[in-house]
Amino acid sequence: KIELEGLHSLLKQHRNEEKEGEIYDFESTRDFVEGYVISSDRQGNFYQKIHVQDQIENPQYGIQVKIEAPNLEVHFPIGQKIRVYLDQLVLGSDRGIPAIGMRNQTELEPIPNALFPKHVVRVETPKAIVPKVVTVADLDDALLRQCLQIDQLQFAALSYLNTPTFAAEAKD
């Protein structure tokens, strides 16, 4: 088993040894990584990818798993612990985000629909994810792919209302 922290370290080390943009191949390995799903593609968000963090509560690391399949939230609801078998997969970046997928020449591509059941499996029943509580000042790249609750965050109301809005107000 490889921890998500180990994947981040492996990707960083590989980038230091190779030119930027290279991807790391997992070949002939029985290694796997586990984590908890924190994303849903129900409304078209996160198309063909799921985001996974290392722990239910107080996560430290997260990663994206690219899968060429529709309705991933049916297979992997939020809170589902999954295991990703790494044999024949690659580790790289998708827009700067650490990601697992398959190689297509020099590109990181989603795991094909026909192959994803072999590589990505559910491990146990879903659990409630506890968001990591942060403030706007805490936000940085180290928090990418983690479920966050941002305290003391307020969005401006529509300009014609000229009043601030707060969560759970009747007009929200």
Side-chain angles (χ1 to χ4, degrees):
K1 177 180 177 183
I2 299 177
E3 301 294 332
L4 286 180
E5 176 183 12
L7 288 183
H8 280 255
S9 297
L10 183 62
L11 186 58
K12 186 176 180 180
Q13 176 186 352
H14 187 67
R15 283 186 178 154
N16 289 339
E17 294 171 359
E18 303 286 334
K19 64 180 184 173
E20 183 68 25
E22 290 291 316
I23 54 181
Y24 179 84
D25 291 273
F26 293 100
E27 294 180 9
S28 302
T29 182
R30 298 178 74 188
D31 287 336
F32 61 88
V33 64
E34 291 180 336
Y36 295 90
V37 175
I38 60 165
S39 65
S40 169
D41 63 352
R42 177 174 288 168
Q43 300 296 326
N45 296 323
F46 306 111
Y47 181 67
Q48 294 190 342
K49 55 188 87 164
I50 54 177
H51 299 275
V52 178
Q53 66 185 29
D54 59 347
Q55 301 171 53
I56 286 287
E57 191 170 353
N58 296 316
Q60 299 300 310
Y61 296 94
I63 198 160
Q64 180 184 105
V65 182
K66 297 176 64 114
I67 303 172
E68 186 179 56
N71 304 317
L72 289 170
E73 50 92 18
V74 171
H75 302 284
F76 310 111
I78 292 175
Q80 178 69 61
K81 185 174 184 178
I82 64 168
R83 180 175 294 161
V84 181
Y85 291 98
L86 299 172
D87 189 38
Q88 303 303 310
L89 297 182
V90 296
L91 175 64
S93 293
D94 180 22
R95 299 180 196 148
I97 305 299
I100 297 171
M102 294 201 89
R103 179 186 284 276
N104 181 359
Q105 297 179 7
T106 61
E107 300 295 318
L108 175 69
E109 297 288 332
I111 301 165
N113 193 7
L115 296 178
F116 97 78
K118 170 185 164 189
H119 288 283
V120 186
V121 298
R122 293 180 287 198
V123 177
E124 53 191 49
T125 58
K127 296 180 179 174
I129 297 289
V130 179
K132 182 185 274 189
V133 179
V134 299
T135 64
V136 172
D138 297 328
L139 296 176
D140 66 17
D141 287 351
L143 297 172
L144 290 172
R145 302 304 135 227
Q146 296 178 32
C147 184
L148 304 175
Q149 174 184 320
I150 305 173
D151 274 359
Q152 305 298 317
L153 180 66
Q154 178 178 325
F155 292 95
L158 296 174
S159 60
Y160 65 86
L161 292 177
N162 208 19
T163 58
T165 62
F166 298 91
E169 284 189 8
K171 62 185 173 191
D172 282 351

